[in-house]
Amino acid sequence: MFKKWIDKLWPAPAQHSDPVPGTKQLLVGDSWQNGDRGAHEAIDKAFAAIQHKPYAPPAGVVPENKVVGDSVDYSYLNGMFSNPDTVFMGYAALSNLAQKSENRVACEQSVNEVFRKGFKIKSNDTESDRSEIIGQLEDAFEKLGVEKHLKRLGFNGEAFGQSHLFVKLKGDEQELSKELMINPTKIKKGDLEGFLVVEPIWCYPQGYNSMNPLKADFFQPYAWFVLGDLVDASRMKQLVMYPVPDMLKPSYNFGGLSLIQMMLPYVNNWESVRDDIPRIITTFRTFIWSTDMETYLQDRSQFEKRLDTLVYGKNNHGVLAVDATMEKLEQMNTSLTGLADLLGQQQKLLCMPSRLSVTSLTGSQPSGMNASGEGESDAQHENIANKQKGAYKPVLDWILKLVCLSEFGDFYEDLYIDFNPLDEMSDKEIAEINKLKADTYSSLVQDGIITPEQANSALASDDDSGFNGIKYDALSGLDDGDDLDLKEPEDENQDPPPS
């Protein structure tokens, strides 16, 4: 099916018949119209035929004796509105387009920015010391390769619209179709064997609730076929970066919109401009030969010889002799001014779908007056922070519970995962902020608004305060109202006071 789709997009070049023997052909190079216009017309024609339709998984994903499908009225969707950019392209086409450097860099960089500063396991319990437990969990995360799996999960989510993270437990081969209960009675110490990332092309939903929108599982698959095996949805955490409306979810295999599909029109425009500029540069100089055409038309061979002489000597060391009275040779140059700006603008437009900055996506610094890139960086950090909280945080919380049960046989409710801040502050900036915090806490304690214990709790929970984790210890040995009277030590040779 994918081959037919590709044949429609990029048809084989037409076979031209051999020229008539004895005739001469001028070699003028590849025609722009024959090269670009024909390809674009083929692409437009193929995309014009694309419509919303039920998603059909590859053979072997769903067992042959199982009847599956959806009940969405796609004729209603296609009758209202249908645009090539809003129709699911299929995982085969997305896999092919993922090889383009523009698409791959955008997907990889979107994930790298999410984990650029990493994440930490923290505790909101100020009474107990969880440092040893957190250290053991961090070692388990490193051993299981959690960050590596999450990066691959994120790349698939960006490139294909969704991805699945499967948890492998000891002896679960016969229980894949059953719900996974995340509690100490089901998951014991040492049960976790690892995680696996499953691409969406190998998955197809077994069933979903399409009757009651008031339930939480509305249009949410409760089980998946994974190359013939039925796996409960609780055992595979799904990551969807850009969700689609409920009515479109079945046609998207209950995933979301892929970044590659969103970038498709921008990449096409960029490639068109990128390919045209070298052609303009290589053909920007044109020679105009003014002569008596009527004389040459009487003898075509002489005209062709004259043209060959012109082309043969067309270099920096060539010389062409012309008739002073009948011939004139001029040179016309195409202006190359603005081509770099045009290319830069098209390159900048590539950043729109991914919400990445120009520096992050292309590796080049912004140009122009007052082009610091701070605004783009702030917008990118806001977008990445939303992805961290909305897409990756639920997956990490799920992983933390599984790892905690496998390491300790129990889960500590005070533990949680938090991403490190994306913005870096210098040591001087951190010191100035801590000074302001210290002055604020000191004033609040002196005014009796908070107690020293409360001020210490705030400092102990602040990662940048320099007093993180330090517990409050009041001065001992002094009664209330006692003054610290610091006196100079008495001289041993001094006479004792009179009795």
Side-chain angles (χ1 to χ4, degrees), residues 417-452:
I417 289 181
D418 192 20
F419 283 92
N420 296 324
L422 295 171
D423 297 316
E424 292 183 353
M425 291 188 297
S426 64
D427 294 339
K428 181 180 179 181
E429 292 173 335
I430 294 176
E432 292 175 350
I433 293 176
N434 287 336
K435 180 65 169 59
L436 293 175
K437 291 180 180 178
D439 294 341
T440 302
Y441 295 150
S442 177
S443 300
L444 294 175
V445 171
Q446 290 179 4
D447 295 341
I449 298 176
I450 62 174
T451 63

Side-chain angles (χ1 to χ4, degrees), residues 206-227:
Q206 192 266 345
Y208 59 96
N209 167 29
S210 61
M211 303 300 294
N212 190 351
L214 300 179
K215 291 188 176 181
D217 62 347
F218 185 65
F219 272 84
Q220 295 291 331
Y222 50 77
W224 295 84
F225 286 111
V226 182
L227 274 182

Side-chain angles (χ1 to χ4, degrees), residues 23-24 63 75 145 201 222 266 269 275 300 310 351 355 364 373 376 389-390 402 489:
T23 61
K24 180 177 180 180
S75 62
I201 192 173
Y222 50 77
Y266 298 90
N269 292 339
D275 294 341
R300 185 67 176 267
L310 173 62
C351 303
R355 300 284 301 278
S364 60
E376 291 184 349
K389 182 178 180 181
L402 294 172

Side-chain angles (χ1 to χ4, degrees), residues 269-283:
N269 292 339
W270 153 256
E271 288 180 336
S272 178
V273 174
R274 181 197 63 189
D275 294 341
D276 282 348
I277 287 180
R279 293 171 178 170
I280 295 175
I281 294 176
T282 56
T283 59

